[in-house]
Amino acid sequence: MDAGEVSDSSSLKVFTSIQSEFSCAKDGSIRDSKGNPWLIWKIVDFQRWWHAFETIAGVPLGRKLMNAAADQEEYLFEQNLFFKKGWWMKKRRLQTSLSERWTQLGWGRYEHQSTSIFSHLLAPVCSGFALAAVEGLNAERQKVQWHQLSHVQIKLELDKDERSLSQAPHPPIFTWDSNTNYTEFIEIGTVQLDFQKVEEGWTHSGERTCFLPSGLFQRLFDYVRMQGIVPRPDILATWELPTDAEFSSWVPLILTSLAVDEVISQSERPIYIQDLESWQQLANAYLKPFGFGTFIALAALDGQGGVEFELPPSPNLPFTVGFLASFWQRGFGRKPLVKIQQKNENWLVQITSFLSYSD
């Protein structure tokens, strides 16, 4: 979207703030000014992904999702010294800054006085973001319960928690991003959105969309890793995973990939794979613009569409793998077998047919 095409001044202001804060990197991620990775989600896709993820996991995770959102937002507040900037009319200025932040990120709005949220995001997510804001404003821990009053309004019940405020830790590091060096992937590239500000958020190409921090998912994955979840044997049969790390650390990647496949199956994205170049076109259309990653090399493995991708380490690698496996299944109409192995600091992801087919 060119600035000259924007007629709504408020849309232009928000879009300009997005472009000044976020940039694209060579590893297919989107980074904020501090280098933190983010994802751009169509809200309906995120809802589909979450419902599939929780269903496949087979355990209730709503409170874990809320905690992950609150902890990551608190971490970002501390990193930016958000609540430590001066004292003159501090609370009013902070409330204004919080409102601008929610508007910029597409989360809707939080009304501090009425403890009400107006958002199209899932209640656990925006409730977690709001909890971090409340605790920062009041400089004290809070317990929260949320009540969904309508499809856009959420009422929070807040009670003081006797625990003291402590610094939120860095998001957990997993095997697939332990060697990430963000500075190697920086390139000059602005986030491109077909942007329009609307009530309680904004749209991209006419669909409600928002930014979500990758750290939220890293924290959620850490909760899942500790749940002892073991996918069904028929699911495990379609994966070949490295054995030098505990199996539990790979479970979030498997669940993420299966949930991404549900998103793609319910969407109207056209997936056509004719040759290796098709893969680059898919990455440029559906992955890189939204922070879901990309590959740095690819090669054909067989005459049945089998392909090998080389991926850089990334906190978003579970989503990259999920999208590539789902694209393969849609493009060839067959169940994929996914093999992951490490190559120096990068990752090789081989996708072939689960069943054998003769030429």
Side-chain angles (χ1 to χ4, degrees), residues 41-53 119-123 151 263:
W41 280 93
K42 294 179 182 178
I43 289 180
V44 66
D45 282 348
F46 174 67
Q47 292 171 340
R48 288 168 174 167
W49 178 85
W50 169 249
H51 291 313
F53 186 88
S119 176
H120 289 262
L121 266 174
L122 290 170
H151 72 288
V263 172

Side-chain angles (χ1 to χ4, degrees), residues 143-312:
K143 297 177 182 178
V144 65
Q145 296 289 335
W146 65 84
H147 304 280
Q148 187 94 43
L149 303 183
S150 71
H151 72 288
V152 295
Q153 185 177 0
I154 300 156
K155 177 69 175 178
L156 300 184
E157 288 185 8
L158 296 162
D159 293 300
K160 185 177 179 180
D161 191 327
E162 295 304 322
R163 294 176 302 162
S164 60
L165 283 173
S166 58
Q167 186 172 354
H170 187 282
I173 302 297
F174 282 80
T175 302
W176 54 75
D177 67 331
S178 58
N179 293 311
T180 299
N181 184 354
Y182 162 61
T183 57
E184 293 182 0
F185 300 112
I186 294 177
E187 67 179 8
I188 299 174
T190 57
V191 174
Q192 298 299 308
L193 294 169
D194 180 11
F195 183 90
Q196 182 63 47
K197 187 177 181 299
V198 294
E199 188 175 5
E200 323 303 1
W202 44 265
T203 64
H204 164 65
S205 298
E207 295 191 64
R208 287 190 176 273
T209 305
C210 71
F211 282 89
L212 291 176
S214 298
L216 181 160
F217 297 96
Q218 292 169 271
R219 296 176 195 278
L220 175 66
F221 294 164
D222 198 41
Y223 293 136
V224 170
R225 170 169 53 183
M226 295 185 292
Q227 292 289 317
I229 298 170
V230 179
R232 300 191 315 265
D234 61 306
I235 292 175
L236 294 178
T238 63
W239 291 85
E240 293 183 18
L241 301 166
T243 58
D244 55 352
E246 289 187 10
F247 171 74
S248 61
S249 67
W250 290 102
V251 169
L253 183 144
I254 296 173
L255 300 182
T256 295
S257 182
L258 295 174
V260 165
D261 189 61
E262 285 296 310
V263 172
I264 298 300
S265 68
Q266 295 180 51
S267 76
E268 297 180 355
R269 293 174 177 86
I271 308 297
Y272 303 111
I273 302 174
Q274 297 178 321
D275 49 32
L276 290 182
E277 179 60 27
S278 299
W279 285 106
Q280 190 64 63
Q281 295 168 357
L282 289 170
N284 291 340
Y286 301 131
L287 301 184
K288 292 183 68 176
F290 307 103
F292 287 107
T294 190
F295 47 83
I296 55 180
L298 77 162
L301 293 177
D302 55 41
Q304 301 296 327
V307 64
E308 178 181 84
F309 301 95
E310 183 172 349
L311 308 182

Side-chain angles (χ1 to χ4, degrees), residues 308-323:
E308 178 181 84
F309 301 95
E310 183 172 349
L311 308 182
S314 167
N316 299 334
L317 189 136
F319 290 101
T320 313
V321 172
F323 276 106

Side-chain angles (χ1 to χ4, degrees), residues 8-9 67 85 94 98-99 103 111 174 195 230 237 242 247 256 264 304 321 357:
D8 186 339
S9 60
N67 290 337
K85 298 177 181 178
L94 286 174
L98 283 168
S99 177
T103 298
E111 293 186 352
F174 282 80
F195 183 90
V230 179
F247 171 74
T256 295
I264 298 300
Q304 301 296 327
V321 172
Y357 293 86

